[in-house]
Amino acid sequence: MYSPDGSSFAVLLSDNTINMYTTSNWERTWVLRGHSEDVTSIAYSPKGDRIVSGSHDYTVRVWDVSTGDCLFILIGHFGMVESVAYSAQGNVIASRSDDETIRLWDMETGDCRSIVSGCDYIHDMAFSPKGDHIAFGCQDHRVRIWDVASGECQNILIGHTRAISTIAYSAQGDLLMSIDVYSLDIRLWEVGTGACRLLLDANGTLVFSPNRNQIASFQSWYENEIGLWDAATGVCVLSLPGHEGGTYGIAYSPQGDQLVSGGSDMAVRLWDAETGECRHTMNGHMTSVQNVLFSPKGDHIASVSGDNTVRLWNVGSGTSRRLSNHHSNNMLYIDYSPKRNQIASSSLDSTIRLWDAATGSHSRTLVGHGDYVYIISYSPQEDRLVSCSGDKTARLWDADSGACLFILSGHTAYVFHVAFSPHGNQVASSSYDNTVRLWNVESGECQHILIGGSGGVEAALYSPQGDQVASYSQDGTARLWDVETGACEQTLISHSGDIKWIEYSPNGNQIASADDATVQLWDVETGMCTHIFIGHQGYVARVVYSPRGDQVASASCDDKTVRLWDVESGECRHTFVGHTKGIHTIRYSPGGNLIASWSDEGEGWLWDVETGDCHWTLNYDNLSASNHSIWTYNFVWISPDADSFVTGSLDGSVRVWDVVEEADECRVRMRWRSPNGQLSVEDACVQDVKGLSHLDKRLLKQRGATDGPNFRLREASKKVMSMTSVASKFKSFPSDTTELDSSSTSPAVSSRSTRENKPNKRRIQRHLKTRRYIL
């Protein structure tokens, strides 16, 4: 919902919160927390300085838009509050409840000034444009109009033979539309006389145009058409094709000359209200579009979808941006900028998000790709980001402003990998169109198109010197290209299947490749295979050189082992055994003394390179139910001492972990995690909550809880201080939502001694496995 002046935007979320955004830069300003059940309705005051919300927790809350403070908690209903509305003057709020009443509240005092009751269940209500009357439809088939000042019934409109489900005033307030529960009996009433002016032969839901002369109708089931009706004659003047499978929402522009619609076909359409011409079809949502609305100025459209996103569309161009503070789909890649202490993440939701590594705060969302964003990478100077996508493009972004500098177009299939050159002046993009393209970073121009291989080029990597690019394809070959000329210098052919990964040695003289249960080393100068490391019992998913280049580590998805190989002798120095799931990622620590191995099902181990001992393990249980896997690439060290790292998960969240040494043991602790729409205790106050142990509080603080009340939530904080246990504050998910227990959000952590390779089962592990929280 937009504020009346269009300066702010409010979004209801399923976690009982209201997210507030400023429309100048679309940054989130407040998260309004306080309701303990679903928030069903919100409304801005006429000045836009306040917002009212109604909830299934039987309460109505009034919030200050500028500070995020809860000003009033209006208590009186004995049932769920279904809708709320402000009067035109802003001095009265109406709340409708399933306790069969409407309550009118005085906004100066917060007192209930009158109660409307005695007419069975009330399905809908609406203030008149002047705010002096309120109309509502009842279960008893009647429409009632009440005088707000006196609290008395002024008129009863009789004629319907079924319960009234929808009530709407015309913009001028002289007409009132009522619709029965089956959307079969639609009537227009003259407010002054109470006479029924028209019976419309329309089905579904209807909306008045702002200029009063037109009514739009639509259905959310089998019929696709949108009807435009003359409000004076009741004649259907235009029929629009609508949306295949049904239309779920329509809205007029403030001027009444345009109409926007959304439906089950995932599209948003903009129509000319006079001619019926479709001006734009806007695609981007992943599931059906549930609702649409215009901004107060009519220059933007907001659409809400079942894919858990809100998209903001430019009316002129039909382009959009998403509104969310977390990834709404699986995360695919993360990268870290040491100079900025910033984390970048990419996702199946087509966005890139930037996070402060110290605090976990979301700083920016980069929007522009039209499909999955696969790989992202900071430039060596860390002033730019490059990304690639299933939309067949790569993009260059300014890391400071988040602006898209260049769209690198030319590929004819998915762009699956991108990489900066060591000097940062060039980008290599790899595509399933069997090409690698080299791009000039300053101009965005394509300098070379490298053609070779079949089945798609999986990735292309620069040599440490930056004078060569190595690419590998699904046909089992790797190729070495001269960056200056674009010529193919060597073709490496030996593997019997697809090559899964290649890696340059630190000095650039050698390349390691992995696939068919073997690791092969190649001389870059001659293109000859110098070593073949045999030992794995299944295909090798990843190979990586140690920082000094004297070792190669390989990981197998099939045999679930990590092997360390001596580059000179070819001897296998260590075989790390312990994983119960297939390994897809391995990373040396910056110092080269440790190596981390990860499965794409959430299992991580840290090994000592010299001794072969395991320092610690990290494991997510119940993965099939929780979907909290760690994707293949989603592990990055963020400290030179290997005491902190970042992971990304399939639930769209980012987590930063600290490795703490105590005596001879290592412990892994979560520093922060980004919200993912399922679990968030950000700003929750645990100062005076009774029944929390020290460990309970520590776990909650890791998820964003605070010691003292937050100034934005003063009223909400006062209400939670009387809870007797953490279970009463962080209640379990209701049965109709996806259950998120601690085994999926907080992995089992076991610390391992460097002297003994045995798990150390401590109290923190028991708590992480047995607690279940939600705000």
Side-chain angles (χ1 to χ4, degrees):
M1 174 178 285
Y2 278 98
S3 63
D5 63 357
S7 63
S8 70
F9 190 83
V11 180
L12 299 184
L13 296 183
S14 59
D15 61 358
N16 311 331
T17 66
I18 305 164
N19 282 17
M20 306 290 298
Y21 297 83
T22 177
T23 58
S24 59
N25 56 13
W26 291 106
E27 293 295 324
R28 188 175 66 173
T29 55
W30 305 111
V31 178
L32 309 182
R33 293 185 173 92
H35 286 295
S36 59
E37 299 289 345
D38 290 347
V39 181
T40 57
S41 177
I42 57 173
Y44 276 97
S45 65
K47 294 181 180 178
D49 57 342
R50 293 183 179 184
I51 195 168
V52 61
S53 59
S55 169
H56 281 178
D57 64 7
Y58 299 7
T59 67
V60 177
R61 289 176 179 255
V62 181
W63 311 84
D64 187 295
V65 171
S66 62
T67 66
D69 289 339
C70 180
L71 304 176
F72 294 109
I73 302 176
L74 309 180
I75 299 174
H77 282 294
F78 296 98
M80 297 182 290
V81 179
E82 302 289 354
S83 64
V84 291
Y86 259 102
S87 67
Q89 295 78 17
N91 60 332
V92 177
I93 284 176
S95 58
R96 178 179 61 86
S97 169
D98 68 358
D99 63 7
E100 301 181 358
T101 69
I102 293 175
R103 288 178 177 257
L104 301 180
W105 307 87
D106 188 294
M107 280 300 91
E108 290 298 322
T109 63
D111 295 332
C112 180
R113 56 191 291 178
S114 60
I115 301 174
V116 178
S117 62
C119 52
D120 296 329
Y121 183 78
I122 302 171
H123 288 273
D124 196 16
M125 67 176 185
F127 272 110
S128 64
K130 294 181 179 179
D132 53 345
H133 295 95
I134 186 167
F136 52 93
C138 301
Q139 188 72 21
D140 64 2
H141 313 168
R142 300 183 179 187
V143 178
R144 288 171 172 82
I145 300 176
W146 283 67
D147 184 272
V148 172
S150 65
E152 296 180 355
C153 182
Q154 179 174 301
N155 209 340
I156 300 177
L157 311 181
I158 301 174
H160 284 287
T161 58
R162 301 179 187 88
I164 314 301
S165 64
T166 305
I167 292 290
Y169 275 97
S170 64
Q172 291 72 22
D174 58 336
L175 295 178
L176 184 69
M177 179 169 57
S178 59
I179 307 173
D180 73 358
V181 291
Y182 294 114
S183 302
L184 297 175
D185 187 2
I186 301 170
R187 295 172 180 254
L188 285 183
W189 308 85
E190 293 182 357
V191 173
T193 64
C196 180
R197 180 171 177 177
L198 281 174
L199 288 173
L200 288 182
D201 186 20
N203 294 328
T205 303
L206 281 76
V207 177
F208 268 115
S209 68
N211 53 23
R212 183 182 178 272
N213 63 348
Q214 194 178 76
I215 296 172
S217 66
F218 67 95
Q219 286 189 356
S220 58
W221 52 98
Y222 57 92
E223 290 191 12
N224 304 332
E225 292 184 351
I226 299 171
L228 301 184
W229 304 77
D230 188 293
T233 64
V235 175
C236 183
V237 294
L238 284 173
S239 182
L240 314 181
H243 298 262
E244 183 178 353
T247 302
Y248 294 153
I250 58 175
Y252 277 97
S253 64
Q255 298 77 23
D257 59 335
Q258 296 186 98
L259 186 76
V260 64
S261 64
S264 61
D265 59 1
M266 302 179 285
V268 177
R269 289 187 171 87
L270 184 65
W271 310 87
D272 187 295
E274 184 176 351
T275 65
E277 176 190 0
C278 182
R279 294 180 174 178
H280 285 295
T281 297
M282 295 162 274
N283 297 304
H285 283 296
M286 307 300 290
T287 60
S288 59
V289 179
Q290 304 294 329
N291 200 7
V292 289
L293 72 156
F294 272 94
S295 64
K297 295 180 181 179
D299 54 346
H300 288 90
I301 292 168
S303 58
V304 182
S305 169
D307 63 9
N308 297 323
T309 65
V310 176
R311 280 186 178 265
L312 306 170
W313 307 86
N314 185 298
V315 171
S317 64
T319 58
S320 76
R321 60 183 296 170
R322 285 190 188 182
L323 187 59
S324 177
N325 68 314
H326 62 272
H327 287 296
S328 61
N329 209 328
N330 300 354
M331 190 178 298
L332 292 181
Y333 204 85
I334 51 178
D335 198 16
Y336 175 66
S337 167
K339 292 180 182 178
R340 297 173 177 275
N341 198 25
Q342 186 180 75
I343 296 165
S345 60
S346 66
S347 168
L348 293 182
D349 67 6
S350 308
T351 69
I352 302 162
R353 296 176 190 272
L354 306 182
W355 313 84
D356 186 287
T359 65
S361 61
H362 168 252
S363 58
R364 195 176 298 278
T365 300
L366 311 184
V367 180
H369 280 297
D371 206 325
Y372 305 160
V373 181
Y374 293 115
I375 302 294
I376 50 175
S377 178
Y378 282 98
S379 65
Q381 297 78 17
E382 300 179 28
D383 59 339
R384 295 182 180 183
L385 269 169
V386 65
S387 60
C388 64
S389 169
D391 64 6
K392 306 176 186 178
T393 70
R395 286 179 179 246
L396 278 172
W397 309 84
D398 185 281
D400 287 318
S401 66
C404 180
L405 302 176
F406 296 108
I407 300 175
L408 310 180
S409 301
H411 285 293
T412 58
Y414 291 174
V415 183
F416 203 67
H417 193 273
V418 285
F420 270 104
S421 66
H423 306 297
N425 61 335
Q426 196 177 67
V427 163
S429 60
S430 310
S431 171
Y432 277 15
D433 64 4
N434 301 325
T435 69
V436 176
R437 289 176 180 254
L438 305 184
W439 308 86
N440 184 293
V441 169
E442 295 302 321
S443 65
E445 295 179 354
C446 181
Q447 296 176 309
H448 292 293
I449 302 176
L450 316 179
I451 303 174
S454 60
V457 181
E458 297 278 1
L461 307 175
Y462 281 92
S463 66
Q465 295 77 21
D467 58 343
Q468 190 179 74
V469 165
S471 66
Y472 67 96
S473 305
Q474 292 186 4
D475 61 2
T477 66
R479 286 173 169 77
L480 308 183
W481 309 86
D482 184 277
V483 169
E484 187 67 28
T485 64
C488 180
E489 297 179 322
Q490 303 287 349
T491 299
L492 315 180
I493 305 175
S494 178
H495 288 286
S496 60
D498 297 348
I499 296 177
K500 299 302 180 184
W501 193 250
I502 60 174
E503 186 91 3
Y504 273 101
S505 63
N507 60 16
N509 295 332
Q510 204 175 57
I511 282 179
S513 62
D515 175 29
D516 48 5
T518 67
V519 175
Q520 301 187 24
L521 303 187
W522 305 82
D523 185 279
V524 168
E525 187 69 26
T526 65
M528 300 295 295
C529 179
T530 60
H531 288 87
I532 299 178
F533 300 152
I534 301 174
H536 284 293
Q537 301 304 307
Y539 85 83
V540 181
R542 189 54 57 96
V543 60
V544 60
Y545 278 92
S546 65
R548 293 196 302 267
D550 57 336
Q551 287 180 354
V552 166
S554 59
S556 172
C557 184
D558 289 340
D559 68 15
K560 306 178 182 63
T561 66
V562 177
R563 292 175 180 260
L564 298 189
W565 310 87
D566 187 278
V567 169
E568 290 297 325
S569 66
E571 176 188 359
C572 180
R573 298 186 54 186
H574 290 296
T575 300
F576 299 148
V577 179
H579 276 279
T580 61
K581 301 162 181 127
I583 307 169
H584 283 273
T585 301
I586 48 176
R587 295 282 177 102
Y588 274 95
S589 64
N593 60 322
L594 300 170
I595 192 167
S597 57
W598 296 82
S599 76
D600 67 353
E601 298 183 35
E603 186 183 50
W605 292 61
L606 184 69
W607 311 89
D608 189 288
V609 170
E610 290 299 320
T611 66
D613 293 334
C614 178
H615 282 270
W616 51 255
T617 66
L618 191 65
N619 187 49
Y620 287 84
D621 298 325
N622 263 348
L623 293 172
S624 60
S626 67
N627 207 31
H628 274 253
S629 308
I630 296 181
W631 196 258
T632 304
Y633 306 113
N634 279 354
F635 171 87
V636 177
W637 294 106
I638 59 174
S639 69
D641 299 325
D643 57 5
S644 59
F645 58 91
V646 58
T647 62
S649 301
L650 286 184
D651 65 354
S653 68
V654 178
R655 296 171 173 88
V656 168
W657 309 83
D658 292 319
V659 180
V660 181
E661 292 190 13
E662 297 179 356
D664 292 331
E665 298 179 344
C666 291
R667 295 188 180 184
V668 185
R669 296 173 180 171
M670 188 188 300
R671 185 193 305 174
W672 59 261
R673 62 161 291 177
S674 65
N676 65 354
Q678 292 177 307
L679 174 67
S680 178
V681 294
E682 182 183 353
D683 292 328
C685 173
V686 298
Q687 182 184 46
D688 300 322
V689 178
K690 298 178 181 179
L692 292 180
S693 67
H694 174 72
L695 181 57
D696 288 328
K697 292 182 178 181
R698 191 175 74 190
L699 293 173
L700 295 176
K701 289 176 189 175
Q702 286 179 350
R703 289 156 178 80
T706 62
D707 280 319
N710 187 293
F711 74 97
R712 292 180 290 177
L713 301 168
R714 289 199 295 264
E715 293 297 324
S717 297
K718 294 175 184 177
K719 298 297 176 182
V720 301
M721 293 303 105
S722 61
M723 295 178 295
T724 57
S725 69
V726 66
S728 63
K729 174 174 175 61
F730 300 98
K731 61 183 181 62
S732 297
F733 277 93
S735 59
D736 60 343
T737 61
T738 302
E739 182 172 276
L740 181 67
D741 59 25
S742 59
S743 63
S744 61
T745 59
S746 300
V749 180
S750 61
S751 55
R752 304 232 172 173
S753 171
T754 55
R755 298 176 182 176
E756 293 183 302
N757 192 17
K758 296 180 180 179
N760 194 351
K761 298 180 180 179
R762 305 183 65 88
R763 186 165 176 243
I764 187 171
Q765 186 175 3
R766 295 197 303 270
H767 275 261
L768 287 167
K769 285 186 175 180
T770 57
R771 300 291 182 184
R772 182 178 295 170
Y773 303 127
I774 181 175
L775 186 61

Short mmCIF file of all heavy atoms in Angstrom, two decimals, residues 646-673:
data_model
loop_
_atom_site.label_atom_id
_atom_site.label_comp_id
_atom_site.label_asym_id
_atom_site.label_seq_id
_atom_site.Cartn_x
_atom_site.Cartn_y
_atom_site.Cartn_z
N VAL A 646 31.65 -17.17 5.73
CA VAL A 646 30.26 -16.89 5.37
C VAL A 646 29.74 -18.05 4.53
O VAL A 646 30.47 -18.64 3.73
CB VAL A 646 30.13 -15.56 4.60
CG1 VAL A 646 30.97 -15.56 3.35
CG2 VAL A 646 28.67 -15.27 4.24
N THR A 647 28.47 -18.41 4.76
CA THR A 647 27.82 -19.44 3.98
C THR A 647 26.49 -18.91 3.46
O THR A 647 25.91 -18.00 4.04
CB THR A 647 27.54 -20.71 4.82
OG1 THR A 647 26.65 -20.39 5.89
CG2 THR A 647 28.82 -21.30 5.36
N GLY A 648 26.04 -19.47 2.36
CA GLY A 648 24.73 -19.15 1.80
C GLY A 648 23.89 -20.40 1.71
O GLY A 648 24.43 -21.49 1.50
N SER A 649 22.59 -20.27 1.86
CA SER A 649 21.72 -21.44 1.95
C SER A 649 20.62 -21.42 0.91
O SER A 649 20.27 -20.37 0.36
CB SER A 649 21.09 -21.52 3.35
OG SER A 649 22.10 -21.60 4.34
N LEU A 650 20.04 -22.59 0.69
CA LEU A 650 18.96 -22.71 -0.27
C LEU A 650 17.71 -21.99 0.18
O LEU A 650 16.81 -21.75 -0.62
CB LEU A 650 18.64 -24.19 -0.52
CG LEU A 650 19.66 -24.96 -1.37
CD1 LEU A 650 19.16 -26.36 -1.61
CD2 LEU A 650 19.91 -24.26 -2.69
N ASP A 651 17.61 -21.63 1.46
CA ASP A 651 16.44 -20.87 1.92
C ASP A 651 16.58 -19.39 1.62
O ASP A 651 15.71 -18.60 1.97
CB ASP A 651 16.21 -21.09 3.42
CG ASP A 651 17.33 -20.55 4.29
OD1 ASP A 651 18.35 -20.09 3.74
OD2 ASP A 651 17.18 -20.56 5.52
N GLY A 652 17.70 -18.98 0.98
CA GLY A 652 17.90 -17.59 0.61
C GLY A 652 18.61 -16.77 1.67
O GLY A 652 18.78 -15.57 1.50
N SER A 653 19.05 -17.38 2.77
CA SER A 653 19.68 -16.63 3.85
C SER A 653 21.19 -16.68 3.75
O SER A 653 21.78 -17.59 3.17
CB SER A 653 19.23 -17.16 5.21
OG SER A 653 19.74 -18.46 5.43
N VAL A 654 21.84 -15.67 4.34
CA VAL A 654 23.29 -15.59 4.45
C VAL A 654 23.62 -15.74 5.93
O VAL A 654 22.96 -15.15 6.79
CB VAL A 654 23.82 -14.23 3.93
CG1 VAL A 654 25.32 -14.14 4.11
CG2 VAL A 654 23.44 -14.05 2.48
N ARG A 655 24.66 -16.52 6.22
CA ARG A 655 25.09 -16.70 7.61
C ARG A 655 26.58 -16.41 7.73
O ARG A 655 27.36 -16.84 6.88
CB ARG A 655 24.81 -18.11 8.10
CG ARG A 655 23.33 -18.49 8.17
CD ARG A 655 23.20 -19.98 8.45
NE ARG A 655 21.82 -20.39 8.70
CZ ARG A 655 20.97 -20.74 7.77
NH1 ARG A 655 21.35 -20.70 6.51
NH2 ARG A 655 19.74 -21.10 8.07
N VAL A 656 26.98 -15.71 8.77
CA VAL A 656 28.39 -15.50 9.08
C VAL A 656 28.71 -16.22 10.37
O VAL A 656 27.97 -16.11 11.36
CB VAL A 656 28.74 -14.00 9.19
CG1 VAL A 656 30.12 -13.80 9.78
CG2 VAL A 656 28.67 -13.34 7.81
N TRP A 657 29.81 -16.97 10.37
CA TRP A 657 30.21 -17.82 11.49
C TRP A 657 31.57 -17.39 12.02
O TRP A 657 32.44 -16.96 11.26
CB TRP A 657 30.29 -19.28 11.06
CG TRP A 657 29.09 -19.80 10.35
CD1 TRP A 657 28.79 -19.67 9.02
CD2 TRP A 657 28.00 -20.53 10.92
NE1 TRP A 657 27.60 -20.28 8.73
CE2 TRP A 657 27.09 -20.83 9.88
CE3 TRP A 657 27.71 -20.99 12.21
CZ2 TRP A 657 25.92 -21.55 10.09
CZ3 TRP A 657 26.54 -21.70 12.42
CH2 TRP A 657 25.67 -21.97 11.37
N ASP A 658 31.76 -17.52 13.32
CA ASP A 658 33.05 -17.30 13.96
C ASP A 658 33.57 -18.61 14.51
O ASP A 658 32.83 -19.40 15.11
CB ASP A 658 32.93 -16.28 15.10
CG ASP A 658 32.61 -14.88 14.60
OD1 ASP A 658 33.19 -14.50 13.57
OD2 ASP A 658 31.79 -14.20 15.22
N VAL A 659 34.87 -18.84 14.31
CA VAL A 659 35.52 -20.02 14.87
C VAL A 659 36.32 -19.55 16.09
O VAL A 659 37.24 -18.75 15.98
CB VAL A 659 36.46 -20.68 13.84
CG1 VAL A 659 37.14 -21.90 14.45
CG2 VAL A 659 35.69 -21.04 12.59
N VAL A 660 35.94 -20.04 17.25
CA VAL A 660 36.53 -19.61 18.52
C VAL A 660 37.32 -20.76 19.11
O VAL A 660 36.81 -21.88 19.27
CB VAL A 660 35.44 -19.16 19.52
CG1 VAL A 660 36.09 -18.70 20.81
CG2 VAL A 660 34.59 -18.06 18.90
N GLU A 661 38.60 -20.52 19.43
CA GLU A 661 39.43 -21.54 20.05
C GLU A 661 39.39 -21.38 21.56
O GLU A 661 39.62 -20.30 22.10
CB GLU A 661 40.87 -21.43 19.55
CG GLU A 661 41.05 -21.78 18.08
CD GLU A 661 42.50 -21.89 17.68
OE1 GLU A 661 43.36 -21.93 18.59
OE2 GLU A 661 42.76 -21.92 16.47
N GLU A 662 39.08 -22.46 22.25
CA GLU A 662 39.06 -22.49 23.71
C GLU A 662 39.88 -23.69 24.16
O GLU A 662 39.51 -24.84 23.92
CB GLU A 662 37.64 -22.59 24.24
CG GLU A 662 36.78 -21.38 23.88
CD GLU A 662 35.36 -21.51 24.39
OE1 GLU A 662 35.03 -22.58 24.95
OE2 GLU A 662 34.58 -20.55 24.22
N ALA A 663 41.03 -23.41 24.80
CA ALA A 663 41.97 -24.47 25.17
C ALA A 663 42.41 -25.20 23.90
O ALA A 663 42.95 -24.60 22.99
CB ALA A 663 41.35 -25.41 26.20
N ASP A 664 42.14 -26.52 23.83
CA ASP A 664 42.53 -27.29 22.66
C ASP A 664 41.36 -27.55 21.72
O ASP A 664 41.43 -28.42 20.87
CB ASP A 664 43.13 -28.63 23.09
CG ASP A 664 44.46 -28.46 23.81
OD1 ASP A 664 45.16 -27.47 23.50
OD2 ASP A 664 44.77 -29.30 24.67
N GLU A 665 40.29 -26.80 21.89
CA GLU A 665 39.09 -27.07 21.11
C GLU A 665 38.70 -25.86 20.26
O GLU A 665 39.01 -24.72 20.60
CB GLU A 665 37.93 -27.44 22.03
CG GLU A 665 38.17 -28.71 22.83
CD GLU A 665 37.01 -29.02 23.74
OE1 GLU A 665 36.20 -28.10 23.97
OE2 GLU A 665 36.91 -30.15 24.23
N CYS A 666 38.01 -26.14 19.18
CA CYS A 666 37.44 -25.10 18.33
C CYS A 666 35.93 -25.18 18.40
O CYS A 666 35.35 -26.27 18.34
CB CYS A 666 37.88 -25.28 16.87
SG CYS A 666 39.61 -24.98 16.56
N ARG A 667 35.29 -24.03 18.51
CA ARG A 667 33.84 -23.97 18.49
C ARG A 667 33.39 -23.03 17.38
O ARG A 667 34.01 -22.00 17.15
CB ARG A 667 33.28 -23.47 19.83
CG ARG A 667 33.56 -24.43 20.98
CD ARG A 667 32.84 -23.99 22.22
NE ARG A 667 33.10 -24.89 23.32
CZ ARG A 667 32.54 -24.79 24.51
NH1 ARG A 667 31.67 -23.81 24.74
NH2 ARG A 667 32.82 -25.65 25.47
N VAL A 668 32.32 -23.39 16.72
CA VAL A 668 31.77 -22.60 15.64
C VAL A 668 30.49 -21.94 16.13
O VAL A 668 29.57 -22.62 16.58
CB VAL A 668 31.46 -23.47 14.40
CG1 VAL A 668 31.00 -22.60 13.25
CG2 VAL A 668 32.69 -24.28 14.01
N ARG A 669 30.44 -20.62 16.05
CA ARG A 669 29.28 -19.87 16.52
C ARG A 669 28.76 -18.97 15.40
O ARG A 669 29.53 -18.33 14.71
CB ARG A 669 29.63 -19.02 17.74
CG ARG A 669 30.06 -19.83 18.96
CD ARG A 669 30.55 -18.93 20.07
NE ARG A 669 30.94 -19.69 21.24
CZ ARG A 669 31.58 -19.17 22.29
NH1 ARG A 669 31.89 -17.89 22.29
NH2 ARG A 669 31.89 -19.94 23.31
N MET A 670 27.46 -18.93 15.27
CA MET A 670 26.86 -18.06 14.28
C MET A 670 26.90 -16.61 14.77
O MET A 670 26.39 -16.30 15.83
CB MET A 670 25.40 -18.46 14.00
CG MET A 670 24.79 -17.71 12.83
SD MET A 670 23.02 -18.02 12.67
CE MET A 670 23.00 -19.78 12.42
N ARG A 671 27.53 -15.73 13.99
CA ARG A 671 27.57 -14.31 14.35
C ARG A 671 26.27 -13.62 13.98
O ARG A 671 25.71 -12.87 14.74
CB ARG A 671 28.74 -13.62 13.63
CG ARG A 671 28.92 -12.16 14.03
CD ARG A 671 29.87 -11.41 13.08
NE ARG A 671 31.15 -12.07 12.96
CZ ARG A 671 32.09 -11.66 12.10
NH1 ARG A 671 31.86 -10.62 11.29
NH2 ARG A 671 33.23 -12.30 12.00
N TRP A 672 25.80 -13.87 12.76
CA TRP A 672 24.51 -13.35 12.34
C TRP A 672 23.99 -14.14 11.16
O TRP A 672 24.73 -14.86 10.52
CB TRP A 672 24.56 -11.86 11.98
CG TRP A 672 25.52 -11.44 10.89
CD1 TRP A 672 26.76 -10.91 11.06
CD2 TRP A 672 25.31 -11.51 9.46
NE1 TRP A 672 27.34 -10.64 9.84
CE2 TRP A 672 26.47 -10.99 8.85
CE3 TRP A 672 24.26 -11.95 8.66
CZ2 TRP A 672 26.61 -10.91 7.47
CZ3 TRP A 672 24.39 -11.87 7.29
CH2 TRP A 672 25.56 -11.35 6.71
N ARG A 673 22.71 -14.02 10.92
CA ARG A 673 22.10 -14.58 9.73
C ARG A 673 21.08 -13.59 9.20
O ARG A 673 20.43 -12.86 9.96
CB ARG A 673 21.41 -15.92 10.02
CG ARG A 673 20.29 -15.83 11.00
CD ARG A 673 19.38 -17.04 10.92
NE ARG A 673 18.64 -17.03 9.68
CZ ARG A 673 17.81 -18.01 9.34
NH1 ARG A 673 17.65 -19.04 10.11
NH2 ARG A 673 17.14 -17.93 8.20
#
